[in-house]
């Protein structure tokens, strides 16, 4: 079916249901960034495959809201005769709809929208109609079946803390708040709390399901029985009751008179409505597992360092290969990404890519979340910029790294060199930063942007995001961006440092390392505790794109020290030709 035909079929179904429009978010019932094929509703109706967006289908128009990362991609993937594209921050859906469709009855699937998002739309005066059956599912005839990969235990040697103590600590927080239970709607929280992982998603090791944590430390786990074999049931123990998802309505109906917490930002609206109908007292608050999960324990920190060291060996081999093969011609965006994946697959404890690699040559590098396909894949030419953003899932940690390369053999243009160097200056500034405890991501975002701002430049995405421990490559609650929530950065968190610059139709620049937050040494006269970053990623920068004259002496010394560390930690474990190339790549500026 073409996009126009799918929209026509959906509008007919909406007319049958007596609503004027329908809201289609990117997420599935688990509200995650990545969804299985059965949850790709937004892609099916619109063609847009980005990881963030909202469609609104009205009788006379279809709207797609997305952010600056996906502006170019959305334009390329949607039919302009069917879809109107809007910037989700410049024209928020609740504001746009209250102005342009104030009287419309808008249907929505309460499983697919967080409670907070529904409340924002309702506060704007919109008429929202929860639908018992998703009308898009009714017309998606060949919808794939939901995933049924088995759940597996995450061994204590990698988790660093047993599930019983995690449950006890979270339950104590509920008792302190006077709450009887909390809905854990985020599968990442369920996975971390119970020390389980799974294979329901291609790049994130989750067993999709919900949980109800009670104040006595017991848990009701709602997950398809086929996923829960005897080994994982034995691992979970008697304090965890395994139930099918179909048991959720009856379980919530039995919670009359109890005080139940939900996190409105990450819990489907269905839960709040069901608990209210049951006579429970609803308490809004943060998922009590989210912050402890972000603060990596010492075992998780050691595991991340080990994973990054192994990952760095694959990166060095790839960069050496790239330097030899690309000048010969014949390599493409997809072949380069495949070669990097092959190097990673040879590493111990490697399980999967942490996300589909972003491999963009020339103008494709300017598409922030570009994904090469058979239709867009193009050769990597000589004398152009090439951006590779990739990562690995290892049993002991998750990696994410971006490097921008010059394919040579000619001299790169001066504007590219200047802009790469300004991006590098911002990257260094964040990596070197000391900051007091209590500072949040929004407070330090400008540090990485200042060198670009000085030249009238900027980038339209966040500067950094949290990273899970063999979990999602994007993890809250902390991020580094202008729109970041006021959550203090804490020791043990792992955040990315990835400023960039993008010139549409020409090239993209992004440089990304992962940083571990740690206590900073105390200085004379210091009046409060400070924090600093430990750089985990080990990969050389593109020296041919660095203008040393634009760097301060301190910045040049930082790059030289970083490169010396890369060479010292990796050189002895690499094959002689790779080690020789790495010695050149890490030479002092």
């Amino acid at each position: 079916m073409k996009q126009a035909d799918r929209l026509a079929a959906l509008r007919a179904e909406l007319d049958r249901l007596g609503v004027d429009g329908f809201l289609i978010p990117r997420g599935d019932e688990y509200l995650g960034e990545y969804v299985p094929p059965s949850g790709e509703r937004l892609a099916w109706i619109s063609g847009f495959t980005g990881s963030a967006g909202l469609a609104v289908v009205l009788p006379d128009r279809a709207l797609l809201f997305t952010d600056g990362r996906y502006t170019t991609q959305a334009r390329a993937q949607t039919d302009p005769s069917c879809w109107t594209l809007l910037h989700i921050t410049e024209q928020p859906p609740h504001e746009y709809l209250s102005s342009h469709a104030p009287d419309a009855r808008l249907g929505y699937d309460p499983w697919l929208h967080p409670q907070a998002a529904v409340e924002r739309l309702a506060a704007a005066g919109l008429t929202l109609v929860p639908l018992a059956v998703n009308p898009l599912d009714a017309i998606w005839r060949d919808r794939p079946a939901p995933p049924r990969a088995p759940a597996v235990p995450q061994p204590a040697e990698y988790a660093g803390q047993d599930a019983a103590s995690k449950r006890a600590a979270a339950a104590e927080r509920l008792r302190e708040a006077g709450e009887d239970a909390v809905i854990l709607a985020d599968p990442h929280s369920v996975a971390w709390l119970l020390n389980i992982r799974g294979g329901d998603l291609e790049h994130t090791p989750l067993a999709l399901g919900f949980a109800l944590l009670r104040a006595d430390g017991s848990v009701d786990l709602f997950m398809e029985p086929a996923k829960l074999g005897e080994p994982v049931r034995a691992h979970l123990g008697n304090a965890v009751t395994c139930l099918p998802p179909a048991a959720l309505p009856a379980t919530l109906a039995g919670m009359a008179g109890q005080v139940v917490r939900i996190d409105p930002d990450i819990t489907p609206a269905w839960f709040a409505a069901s608990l209210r109908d049951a006579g429970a007292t609803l308490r809004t608050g943060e998922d009590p597992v989210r912050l402890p999960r972000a603060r990596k324990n010492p075992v998780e920190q050691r595991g991340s360092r080990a994973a990054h060291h192994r990952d760095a060996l694959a990166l060095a081999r790839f960069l050496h290969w790239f330097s030899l093969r690309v000048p010969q011609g014949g390599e493409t965006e997809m072949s380069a990404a495949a070669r990097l994946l092959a190097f990673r697959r040879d590493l111990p404890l490697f399980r999967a890519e942490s996300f589909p690699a972003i491999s963009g040559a020339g103008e494709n590098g300017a598409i922030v979340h570009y994904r090469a396909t058979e239709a867009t894949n193009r050769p990597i030419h000589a004398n152009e910029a090439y951006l590779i953003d990739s990562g690995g899932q290892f049993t002991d940690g998750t990696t994410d790294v971006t490097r921008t390369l010059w394919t040579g053999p000619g001299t790169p243009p001066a504007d590219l060199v200047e802009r790469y160097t300004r991006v590098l200056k911002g990257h260094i500034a964040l990596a070197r930063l000391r900051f007091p405890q209590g500072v949040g991501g929004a407070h330090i975002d400008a540090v990485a942007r200042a060198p670009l701002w000085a030249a009238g430049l900027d980038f339209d995405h966040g500067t950094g995001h949290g990273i899970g421990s063999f979990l999602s490559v994007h993890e809250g609650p902390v991020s580094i961006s202008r729109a970041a929530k006021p959550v203090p950065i804490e020791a043990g968190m792992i955040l990315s440092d990835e400023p960039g610059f993008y010139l549409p139709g020409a090239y993209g620049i992004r440089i990304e390392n992962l940083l571990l937050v740690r206590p900073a040494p105390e200085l004379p006269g210091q009046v409060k505790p400070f924090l600093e970053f430990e750089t985990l990623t080990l990969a050389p920068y593109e020296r041919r794109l660095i203008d040393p004259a634009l760097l301060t002496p301190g910045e040049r010394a930082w790059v030289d020290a970083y490169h010396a560390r890369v060479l010292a930690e990796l050189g002895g474990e690499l094959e002689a030709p790779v080690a020789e190339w790495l010695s050149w790549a890490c030479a002092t500026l």
Side-chain angles (χ1 to χ4, degrees):
M1 295 172 69
K2 296 181 179 179
Q3 291 179 26
D5 296 330
R6 294 177 181 184
L7 285 171
L10 178 59
R11 286 181 172 120
E13 188 69 12
L14 298 180
D15 187 61
R16 187 184 69 81
L17 293 171
V19 293
D20 303 312
F22 187 59
L23 309 177
I24 307 164
R26 168 56 167 69
D28 61 2
E29 62 267 39
Y30 303 103
L31 306 183
E33 177 181 6
Y34 298 107
V35 300
S38 58
E40 291 281 11
R41 295 177 177 87
L42 182 60
W44 186 83
I45 194 69
S46 70
F48 172 65
T49 61
S51 64
L54 172 72
V56 183
V57 177
L58 298 167
D60 59 345
R61 76 201 96 153
L63 314 170
L64 176 62
F65 297 84
T66 190
D67 61 35
R69 296 171 297 169
Y70 294 112
T71 302
T72 303
Q73 179 179 339
R75 190 178 300 115
Q77 291 182 322
T78 56
D79 182 343
S81 68
C82 298
W83 292 93
T84 298
L85 305 182
L86 299 167
H87 197 293
I88 200 164
T89 55
E90 296 173 0
Q91 294 177 296
H94 62 283
E95 293 181 4
Y96 183 92
L97 292 171
S98 62
S99 298
H100 294 80
D103 301 320
R105 285 169 45 82
L106 300 172
Y108 72 99
D109 184 338
W111 279 101
L112 305 184
H113 298 264
Q115 177 66 21
V118 173
E119 290 174 355
R120 279 194 299 272
L121 291 169
L126 300 173
T127 302
L128 302 178
V129 182
L131 301 177
V133 177
N134 190 309
L136 189 150
D137 293 352
I139 63 170
W140 189 359
R141 304 299 183 189
D142 56 350
R143 183 184 172 206
R148 294 289 185 270
V152 297
Q154 174 73 339
E157 63 182 295
Y158 303 120
Q161 184 182 2
D162 64 85
S165 63
K166 291 180 179 181
R167 287 189 285 103
E172 175 64 21
R173 289 188 287 275
L174 294 180
R175 293 194 296 271
E176 290 172 352
E179 297 164 351
D180 298 297
V182 60
I183 300 293
L184 298 180
D186 183 351
H188 301 86
S189 290
V190 177
W192 185 87
L193 181 70
L194 302 180
N195 285 344
I196 59 175
R197 300 294 189 268
D200 282 341
L201 300 179
E202 188 174 0
H203 303 286
T204 308
L206 292 176
L208 296 174
F210 301 106
L212 178 71
L213 170 67
R214 301 181 188 273
D216 62 1
S218 65
V219 169
D220 291 346
L221 175 62
F222 300 92
M223 191 174 288
E224 290 296 338
K227 299 181 184 181
L228 299 170
E230 283 307 313
V232 78
R233 287 177 183 265
H235 161 78
L236 292 170
N238 294 332
V240 178
T241 302
C242 299
L243 299 165
L248 262 169
T251 301
L252 299 192
M255 302 191 74
Q258 297 188 44
V259 179
V260 184
R261 182 193 302 193
I262 68 163
D263 188 327
D265 292 322
I266 58 175
T267 304
W270 179 88
F271 284 92
S274 298
L275 287 166
R276 288 194 189 99
D277 290 345
T281 299
L282 209 59
R283 185 83 59 81
T284 59
E286 184 169 78
D287 173 343
V289 177
R290 208 172 183 209
L291 195 55
R293 187 177 86 231
R295 295 189 295 246
K296 309 300 182 285
N297 63 49
V299 171
E300 291 172 321
Q301 292 179 34
R302 287 196 297 271
S304 186
R305 291 189 189 98
H308 278 86
H309 180 87
R310 292 193 304 276
D311 201 49
L313 297 172
L315 287 165
R317 290 169 180 138
F318 168 76
L319 293 171
H320 170 251
W321 170 88
F322 189 91
S323 71
L324 296 176
R325 290 298 302 268
V326 168
Q328 300 175 17
E331 298 299 334
T332 69
E333 295 167 330
M334 292 180 71
S335 72
R339 193 70 191 94
L340 177 52
L341 176 56
F343 282 123
R344 281 196 168 107
R345 281 185 172 137
D346 289 338
L347 299 171
L349 303 183
F350 178 77
R351 297 293 175 261
E353 291 180 290
S354 55
F355 58 97
I358 299 169
S359 175
E363 70 283 356
N364 287 343
I367 304 172
V368 177
H369 275 205
Y370 171 71
R371 185 185 302 182
T373 66
E374 293 294 343
T376 65
N377 184 37
R378 79 160 180 77
I380 303 173
H381 300 302
N383 298 320
E384 67 178 359
Y386 168 73
L387 187 153
I388 178 72
D389 184 351
S390 67
Q393 290 286 9
F394 299 86
T395 310
D396 54 354
T398 301
T399 69
D400 182 5
V401 52
T402 308
R403 288 296 183 265
T404 303
L405 310 176
W406 175 248
T407 59
T411 301
D415 70 308
L416 175 62
V417 171
E418 181 196 351
R419 289 163 177 175
Y420 179 95
T421 306
R422 289 187 179 278
V423 171
L424 179 62
K425 285 169 72 72
H427 173 86
I428 295 169
L430 188 59
R432 297 172 66 190
L433 188 65
R434 285 173 52 95
F435 53 97
Q437 285 187 5
V439 162
H443 302 135
I444 63 175
D445 178 71
V447 169
R449 296 179 187 269
L452 287 162
W453 287 352
L457 308 173
D458 198 9
F459 53 95
D460 197 8
H461 58 73
T463 298
H465 55 82
I467 307 286
S469 181
F470 190 40
L471 279 171
S472 179
V473 74
H474 295 143
E475 177 180 270
V478 170
S479 64
I480 303 173
S481 76
R482 283 170 281 198
K485 294 182 178 180
V487 180
I489 299 170
E490 297 187 39
M493 293 179 173
I494 298 176
L495 302 168
S496 69
D497 171 7
E498 50 180 310
F501 175 76
Y502 309 90
L503 184 62
Y507 56 78
I509 302 164
R510 187 160 64 252
I511 305 171
E512 177 186 19
N513 285 348
L514 298 192
L515 309 175
L516 171 64
V517 185
R518 66 187 183 190
E522 188 169 335
L523 299 176
Q526 187 170 313
V527 296
K528 62 169 64 175
F530 271 64
L531 300 170
E532 65 180 11
F533 293 117
E534 171 190 341
T535 298
L536 297 174
T537 306
L538 299 169
Y541 302 112
E542 178 55 271
R543 294 174 66 250
R544 293 172 293 182
L545 293 178
I546 300 174
D547 181 357
L550 280 178
L551 300 178
T552 66
E555 291 166 343
R556 289 196 297 272
W558 189 94
V559 172
D560 286 342
Y562 175 78
H563 278 159
R565 178 188 165 204
V566 170
L567 185 60
E569 295 195 23
L570 304 180
E573 298 181 47
L574 293 167
E575 304 77 20
V578 183
E580 183 178 352
W581 173 87
L582 187 64
S583 180
W584 169 84
C586 292
T588 59
L589 294 177

